[in-house]
Amino acid sequence: QAQVVEPGGGSVQAGGSLRSSCTTSGMTFSTYAMGWFRQAPGKDREGVACMSRSGGRTTYADSVQGRFPISRDNANNTVYLHMNSLKPEDTAVYYCAADYQIVEYCSTSARRYSRWGQGTQVTVSS
């Protein structure tokens, strides 16, 4: 059975950094675009970043452009979200998700993604 798992999360002060990771099993990782999403209390889920199956294309939300690079390691079935210059407004539950693709493409639209992790809390204090 295919699974998407996000260990970690954490708490940090404003201006700090965190790295979230996400691993998959039971699926051919290199055939999936991977995306990161977040949901803060009382807000809709937001697409943060995505990367195409081979890493050739990325898309970022304006709110994290230049601060949250996404990367992936297809040999180890892992995608990372490197969160830098964190702000209190980045506080949210962060989700990793997988979107099967036959082309080099990714989207930050949540409805494209069929497999989701359980979410991990990221808290940024001022």
Side-chain angles (χ1 to χ4, degrees):
Q1 183 175 356
Q3 286 190 313
V4 179
V5 180
E6 314 132 339
S11 298
V12 67
Q13 289 192 323
S17 297
L18 282 174
R19 186 184 75 169
S20 287
S21 63
C22 168
T23 60
T24 69
S25 61
M27 51 194 276
T28 305
F29 184 74
S30 60
T31 63
Y32 285 79
M34 299 299 295
W36 285 95
F37 298 81
R38 67 186 182 186
Q39 189 164 20
K43 295 189 177 181
D44 292 335
R45 187 168 296 190
E46 174 189 19
V48 174
C50 70
M51 177 170 273
S52 58
R53 48 188 275 170
S54 297
R57 294 188 67 171
T58 57
T59 300
Y60 295 95
D62 289 344
S63 57
V64 305
Q65 179 75 48
R67 297 191 299 127
F68 286 15
I70 185 173
S71 64
R72 65 188 293 161
D73 178 354
N74 283 1
N76 290 297
N77 299 342
T78 303
V79 61
Y80 301 97
L81 185 68
H82 309 264
M83 297 178 281
N84 302 310
S85 301
L86 280 157
K87 305 174 182 179
E89 52 263 43
D90 294 319
T91 295
V93 176
Y94 282 72
Y95 299 88
C96 174
D99 171 30
Y100 178 75
Q101 282 289 333
I102 60 172
V103 296
E104 198 69 15
Y105 172 80
C106 76
S107 169
T108 52
S109 174
R111 59 188 174 186
R112 291 201 60 93
Y113 290 77
S114 58
R115 304 188 187 281
W116 289 81
Q118 77 282 5
T120 183
Q121 178 69 45
V122 172
T123 302
V124 184
S125 58
S126 57

